[in-house]
Amino acid sequence: MLINYTFPFSLQYTLESGQSFRWKKYCFNESLCYEGVVADNIIYLSQDLNSIRIESSGNSKLIKNHIINYLKLDEDINRVYKNISKDIYINSAINKYRGMRLLRQDPWECLISFICSSNSNIKRISKNIEDICIEYGNKIIFNGSERYSFPSPQILSETSEKQLRNLGLGFRAPYVLESAKIISLNQINLEDLRVKNYQDALDILIKLPGVGDKVANCILLFSLDKDEAFPVDVWIHRVLQEKYFDIENKTNNIKVRLLAQKYFDRYAGYANQYLFHNRRLFE
DNA sequence: TTCCAGGTCCGGC
DNA sequence: GCCGGACCTGGA
């Protein structure tokens, strides 16, 4: 099955940019192929000259729509570039990683993933998420691959801190458990945040345990269509200090975020993603 | 051995 | 309100 896309689009940059943690890279017929789990199905994706090739364990028409939505192919990336091209530094990052897109992930999975990201690294986060799925998700078999779905809020809320610590989550275990309880009781409805404005959605998300300003901005940017969201981590802080603003190492991250959002405006999140990727791969 | 990694939380000024 | 330290764990 094929999906056509408008240029520019890079599957590799998009799936390897640290937004999502469940894609595994393969080399197949001398081209890159990615295996992941989206909406309880195993998905294989690869990029041809004019289209994205999909194979999956699920109903093909449904999956096609899921993937168009997941890859956010409805976004006009050229309009984004036009908006964020403010200086030579961001332009150089755009030229290097042209076609890197933001995803529209499941906010629940995104929430747990970025709670797990706290004071960790991409390799370990990926392992934590995969272990959570293996332990509590449903087995999916397709084409010789065996993967597991991401468990529901109910399922995770019925685990225990000890069980989650045994999976290697460390001090993040109680945050995952308590957040799962809040979501499963529908005290916070993540999908409802999509129709709220950025600031209101942010104020709600940071009430969740383990979710501060940085993690909340990741969830807003990578799953809830808030293109102005701007997660400030050590890498972004470093770039902004080196290339943009007169700030100190210790300058409050929220102040830094507000400066950047004012500068890059409505698509600040895309600028963030290019600056992050560029700076992270530079070292 | 020590230090650090996509931060958050808590307690003391 | 702001600031510093603690926090699980695995890899360098």
Side-chain angles (χ1 to χ4, degrees):
Chain A
M1 178 177 27
L2 299 175
I3 302 177
N4 293 319
Y5 58 86
T6 53
F7 287 94
F9 175 84
S10 166
L11 189 66
Q12 179 179 12
Y13 294 149
T14 301
L15 297 184
E16 295 185 28
S17 60
Q19 304 176 60
S20 57
F21 301 95
R22 298 207 69 197
W23 293 99
K24 298 181 178 181
K25 179 159 68 168
Y26 294 96
C27 204
F28 183 70
N29 287 345
E30 296 183 4
S31 67
L32 290 177
C33 179
Y34 294 85
E35 179 199 290
V37 180
V38 178
D40 297 341
N41 289 111
I42 292 180
I43 310 279
Y44 300 104
L45 295 179
S46 57
Q47 181 170 16
D48 295 337
L49 204 56
N50 291 304
S51 57
I52 299 159
R53 188 175 297 275
I54 313 174
E55 283 186 66
S56 105
S57 54
N59 174 291
S60 42
K61 186 164 177 138
L62 282 176
I63 291 297
K64 185 173 176 177
N65 288 331
H66 266 302
I67 295 300
I68 290 172
N69 191 52
Y70 180 87
L71 295 176
K72 221 165 156 172
L73 294 177
D74 49 339
E75 185 94 271
D76 181 355
I77 190 77
N78 287 309
R79 188 175 64 167
V80 172
Y81 288 155
K82 210 171 173 181
N83 268 272
I84 62 174
S85 295
K86 306 276 186 186
D87 57 82
I88 55 169
Y89 190 76
I90 182 76
N91 286 347
S92 134
I94 292 170
N95 282 328
K96 245 169 159 173
Y97 302 110
R98 190 169 291 279
M100 180 168 61
R101 307 286 191 111
L102 291 174
L103 297 171
R104 185 183 288 121
Q105 300 182 62
D106 168 34
W108 158 243
E109 179 173 338
C110 197
L111 163 68
I112 299 303
S113 299
F114 281 93
I115 287 177
C116 290
S117 76
S118 173
N119 206 27
S120 188
N121 55 72
I122 290 183
K123 189 181 170 193
R124 185 179 171 201
I125 301 163
S126 304
K127 183 178 188 307
N128 288 160
I129 297 304
E130 201 62 22
D131 287 345
I132 287 173
C133 293
I134 291 170
E135 189 68 24
Y136 301 111
N138 299 317
K139 185 190 286 194
I140 310 163
I141 295 186
F142 177 61
N143 211 10
S145 301
E146 180 179 310
R147 298 289 296 268
Y148 293 79
S149 64
F150 195 85
S152 68
Q154 279 71 24
I155 295 285
L156 277 194
S157 71
E158 290 162 6
T159 64
S160 68
E161 177 179 336
K162 184 163 187 227
Q163 287 177 291
L164 294 173
R165 280 185 184 265
N166 286 340
L167 286 183
L169 297 195
F171 63 82
R172 306 158 197 83
Y175 300 153
V176 168
L177 180 60
E178 294 308 313
S179 286
K181 286 179 183 171
I182 291 169
I183 302 300
S184 72
L185 293 172
N186 206 30
Q187 291 170 347
I188 291 177
N189 185 313
L190 294 173
E191 282 298 335
D192 285 354
L193 300 182
R194 198 182 297 285
V195 294
K196 292 190 183 297
N197 70 43
Y198 166 71
Q199 188 60 51
D200 288 350
L202 176 61
D203 290 340
I204 292 170
L205 278 177
I206 57 175
K207 290 179 183 162
L208 289 162
V211 179
D213 192 75
K214 191 272 175 182
V215 167
N217 273 276
C218 285
I219 299 163
L220 292 171
L221 187 58
F222 303 142
S223 72
L224 290 169
D225 292 308
K226 303 301 179 223
D227 293 336
E228 70 269 53
F230 198 93
V232 176
D233 56 46
V234 290
W235 296 103
I236 287 295
H237 196 288
R238 217 168 278 168
V239 182
L240 295 180
Q241 190 176 6
E242 290 166 354
K243 307 288 181 189
Y244 287 91
F245 308 121
D246 182 22
I247 54 177
E248 310 283 329
N249 288 327
K250 57 177 185 185
T251 303
N252 179 287
N253 277 346
I254 296 180
K255 281 184 188 166
V256 176
R257 168 167 69 75
L258 292 171
L259 277 175
Q261 286 174 316
K262 188 174 179 189
Y263 180 75
F264 287 111
D265 203 30
R266 57 189 292 207
Y267 293 110
Y270 275 89
N272 181 296
Q273 188 64 9
Y274 280 87
L275 294 176
F276 169 75
H277 201 60
N278 193 38
R279 187 64 178 80
R280 182 171 72 90
L281 297 184
F282 171 71
E283 288 208 341

